[in-house]
Amino acid sequence: MTDYFEGVVSALMRSASEGRLGRIRRGIEKEGLRVDAEGRISQQPHQRELGSKLTHPHITTDYSESLLEYVTPVFPHPSDALDFLADLHRITYRYIGDEVVWPASMPARLNGNDSVPIADFGSSNSGRMKHVYRRGLDVRYGRIMQSIAGIHYNVSFPDTLWQVLADAEGQSDVNARDYRSEKYFRVIRNFRRHGWLLMYLFGASPAIDKSFLDGRSVEGFEAVGKSTLLASDASSLRMSDLGYQNKVQDQLKVRFDTLNHYVETLRSAVSTPWPAYQQAGTEVDGEWRQLSDTILQIENEYYSDIRPKRVVRHHQTPTQALEAEGVEYIEVRCLDINPLLPLGIDEQQTRFIDTFLLYCLLDSADVISDEEEQRIVENRRRVVTNGLDPQLTLASVNGEVALADAAEDLFRALKPVAEVLDASEPESPHADALNVLAQRVRDPSLTPAGQIAYALASEQRDFVDWTLGKARQHAAWFAESPIDPARDTCLEELAEQSWQQQQALEQDTSVPFDEYVRRYFACAEKHATPR
């Protein structure tokens, strides 16, 4: 440990022991396909009783009409976020009949690209823009890739923590907004260095149904059952080249050294045409195919394991919001849905992630060089495709190192950070999470991917049939515990209010859609700070 790390940990421990540190706040976004009784992606529309996909704050859809997306509020206690997420599942099951919410990241049975229905957000300009954006994703990447689901974990550190950290660093007089942004980018850089550990510990997608390939052939898989391909050493196919990746975006070389450089890169991508997208066209024969022919249609199209975020105000783009007021929170995007758990995530995992992110804040972080970037990309590739191999090594500045040795080094570094967080707790949930999860380091069979791979191989079960069984078990679990009555009433009222809000948007026909899109991009360009 460096002197800096020990110093700031000591300062935070003193504040935590005195009750002055505050609590980490988090919100959870979880996607999940609706699937019919045969394990096929649903072709039914989003149930009206669940509210408007366009305006409901907590129940919407992601890419597909069948891909539910749950969004919890922000909570200072992980259990509260998980309870809210559970109630969103419960109210969903009230209205989806014999369908189930698919509890895995890799999709259920598909029948080609068109079997993934694009979400319909209604006739308002904002609703049409969401739909056209998704049509553009189909043009660029295909719908099947968009059927992959995951969990996004959004975290912000308390204001009191920033003050203690600034005092410990002798920077009490710095601009608070700029200071937070600088430190959040430190979190991002360290996360990218060490994020392979999360993909190893929590990766849960070692298998796919053959229909996912849509006729393509791949190597390195074991055939299981009638229609399953298993990569027995893989931690997360979702995060592999087979999953939610895009070669065009690899050209971006996004820089995470400063907020300004990050903003510059994304804005360049939104304004730089890409030949294949130019050839496809935007509006062809009066029909919109995509919002633009640039590398990114909009900034949210950028895929990454982690992103800096801020709540966006009306008529702002994400980078404009970041530039105006700084980073507000970070979004962790590399988490698979764990089909062994009803919610796909549990409190133990949230406590570990919180500890990990605070460590990423407190550890020193130089700018990532081109050479280190290559190691980061390579280590990520190795872990997601071969993470369960006990002999796996990672690339380091000093040569190859065993994954287990690197992981144990990280666990040792995480221990004092967990103690800081536990100083504000009646017990020791963060240290307990580390102790339990450390067992996975030397025994890959204890990881979710390891357990799933063993179950499929030993029973010769098809991935879809096995996962469908888990989905039914989870549905029964939700049914056995009633929804919180007050939340039930609130969600029912929100559903109705969301339809009223969508109707109000659709009644405004003063601006034609093509003009609406033109104004959006003009506004984005106008308010961008010249560089």
Side-chain angles (χ1 to χ4, degrees):
M1 296 182 189
T2 64
D3 292 340
Y4 169 82
F5 182 79
E6 291 181 345
V8 293
V9 167
S10 296
L12 293 178
M13 178 60 82
R14 288 193 297 272
S15 296
S17 300
E18 297 168 0
R20 297 188 295 109
L21 192 59
R23 288 186 175 275
I24 291 175
R25 296 169 61 83
R26 83 280 299 143
I28 300 173
E29 301 172 32
K30 176 179 178 282
E31 300 156 352
L33 285 171
R34 283 185 294 109
V35 170
D36 70 17
E38 303 300 319
R40 297 169 300 204
I41 182 173
S42 174
Q43 301 300 303
Q44 300 301 313
H46 186 77
Q47 281 68 18
R48 192 188 190 286
E49 293 87 349
L50 295 177
S52 162
K53 304 183 292 293
L54 180 64
T55 56
H56 197 295
H58 304 301
I59 302 176
T60 180
T61 59
D62 193 76
Y63 177 82
S64 174
E65 187 76 6
S66 306
L67 186 55
L68 288 160
E69 181 174 2
Y70 299 126
V71 182
T72 77
V74 176
F75 290 101
H77 297 282
S79 58
D80 291 336
L82 294 169
D83 287 346
F84 195 100
L85 183 61
D87 281 345
L88 295 179
H89 283 77
R90 293 185 180 103
I91 203 164
T92 297
Y93 273 109
R94 181 180 298 169
Y95 297 116
I96 63 173
D98 63 353
E99 293 183 344
V100 292
V101 180
W102 192 244
S105 283
M106 301 308 285
R109 290 192 178 100
L110 306 173
N111 186 25
N113 194 65
D114 290 347
S115 68
V116 182
I118 300 177
D120 180 359
F121 294 91
S123 62
S124 68
N125 281 332
S126 57
R128 287 188 64 190
M129 188 165 180
K130 283 179 173 286
H131 181 76
V132 172
Y133 167 62
R134 285 156 174 76
R135 294 192 67 179
L137 297 179
D138 181 17
V139 168
R140 293 157 181 247
Y141 321 118
R143 302 185 193 182
I144 287 178
M145 190 183 85
Q146 305 296 326
S147 67
I148 300 172
I151 291 175
H152 297 172
Y153 192 74
N154 302 305
V155 169
S156 62
F157 296 112
D159 290 342
T160 46
L161 183 150
W162 295 121
Q163 188 59 55
V164 172
L165 190 60
D167 290 345
E169 295 180 336
Q171 299 192 55
S172 304
D173 297 331
V174 297
N175 179 281
R177 180 196 66 188
D178 294 343
Y179 181 79
R180 284 195 304 269
S181 293
E182 176 191 341
K183 298 307 180 187
Y184 272 128
F185 271 87
R186 173 193 282 181
V187 174
I188 291 171
R189 292 195 298 276
N190 277 328
F191 183 95
R192 298 190 66 242
R193 288 182 168 103
H194 309 306
W196 57 264
L197 181 61
L198 296 188
M199 291 177 236
Y200 171 78
L201 293 173
F202 305 117
S205 53
I208 56 171
D209 186 73
K210 289 181 181 178
S211 64
F212 176 78
L213 297 177
D214 196 25
R216 292 178 296 154
S217 61
V218 294
E219 297 179 351
F221 285 83
E222 171 190 351
V224 174
K226 296 179 180 179
S227 64
T228 295
L229 295 176
L230 172 66
S232 56
D233 284 339
S235 293
S236 176
L237 294 178
R238 168 180 173 264
M239 298 302 297
S240 73
D241 287 344
L242 190 65
Y244 215 79
Q245 305 297 324
N246 176 252
K247 297 301 182 183
V248 174
Q249 291 196 19
D250 290 345
Q251 315 296 318
L252 294 179
K253 307 300 181 187
V254 175
R255 298 169 60 184
F256 294 99
D257 46 357
T258 67
L259 173 59
N260 287 346
H261 287 153
Y262 176 79
V263 166
E264 284 177 353
T265 309
L266 287 194
R267 286 185 179 158
S268 175
V270 174
S271 61
T272 302
W274 188 256
Y277 304 156
Q278 288 180 301
Q279 185 175 1
T282 51
E283 191 177 3
V284 180
D285 296 330
E287 184 172 298
W288 283 81
R289 291 185 178 177
Q290 53 185 341
L291 290 174
S292 74
D293 58 13
T294 52
I295 294 176
L296 301 179
Q297 297 175 88
I298 56 176
E299 294 162 1
N300 282 341
E301 190 177 334
Y302 170 58
Y303 305 147
S304 62
D305 298 345
I306 185 170
R307 290 198 299 205
K309 297 291 290 289
R310 169 165 284 281
V311 174
V312 177
R313 301 179 188 275
H314 190 51
H315 294 314
Q316 272 186 328
T317 66
T319 58
Q320 287 171 357
L322 288 171
E323 196 171 48
E325 299 180 71
V327 183
E328 183 179 12
Y329 64 97
I330 49 178
E331 178 187 40
V332 175
R333 299 165 53 83
C334 64
L335 302 176
D336 284 356
I337 300 170
N338 184 351
L340 302 169
L341 301 171
L343 296 175
I345 186 173
D346 61 11
E347 185 168 347
Q348 181 184 85
Q349 183 173 347
T350 69
R351 298 288 187 175
F352 183 89
I353 297 172
D354 291 346
T355 306
F356 182 81
L357 291 174
L358 183 55
Y359 167 75
C360 289
L361 171 65
L362 302 182
D363 193 29
S364 58
D366 296 329
V367 171
I368 295 173
S369 66
D370 291 342
E371 181 182 0
E372 185 179 14
E373 176 68 24
Q374 292 178 0
R375 291 197 300 270
I376 288 171
V377 173
E378 174 62 13
N379 287 338
R380 180 183 184 275
R381 184 197 65 79
R382 293 184 192 183
V383 171
V384 298
T385 57
N386 295 99
L388 304 188
D389 179 357
Q391 305 305 314
L392 183 66
T393 63
L394 302 179
S396 78
V397 68
N398 297 316
E400 295 294 313
V401 59
L403 178 147
D405 291 341
E408 287 184 344
D409 286 344
L410 275 173
F411 268 85
R412 281 191 288 271
L414 290 170
K415 184 178 178 181
V417 181
E419 292 172 353
V420 169
L421 292 173
D422 284 339
S424 303
E425 301 285 346
E427 297 180 340
S428 54
H430 301 88
D432 292 345
L434 261 62
N435 290 334
V436 173
L437 293 171
Q439 300 174 45
R440 298 181 183 180
V441 170
R442 297 286 176 182
D443 189 351
S445 69
L446 297 177
T447 66
Q451 295 179 64
I452 295 165
Y454 176 79
L456 296 178
S458 63
E459 303 172 21
Q460 284 296 295
R461 292 284 302 280
D462 272 312
F463 164 68
V464 169
D465 294 339
W466 181 86
T467 308
L468 188 59
K470 291 297 180 185
R472 289 168 177 157
Q473 292 175 17
H474 299 338
W477 182 85
F478 289 120
E480 289 168 0
S481 51
I483 189 171
D484 177 86
R487 189 170 293 144
D488 189 359
T489 300
C490 178
L491 290 173
E492 292 286 3
E493 291 176 350
L494 280 174
E496 184 56 37
Q497 291 170 10
S498 70
W499 283 116
Q500 295 171 7
Q501 291 167 346
Q502 177 171 328
Q503 184 178 27
L505 290 172
E506 292 177 342
Q507 288 175 346
D508 181 4
T509 59
S510 58
V511 179
F513 179 66
D514 56 350
E515 175 64 15
Y516 179 86
V517 174
R518 188 197 66 77
R519 290 183 183 181
Y520 173 86
F521 287 112
C523 183
E525 183 176 350
K526 176 181 178 181
H527 293 291
T529 300
R531 296 184 183 283

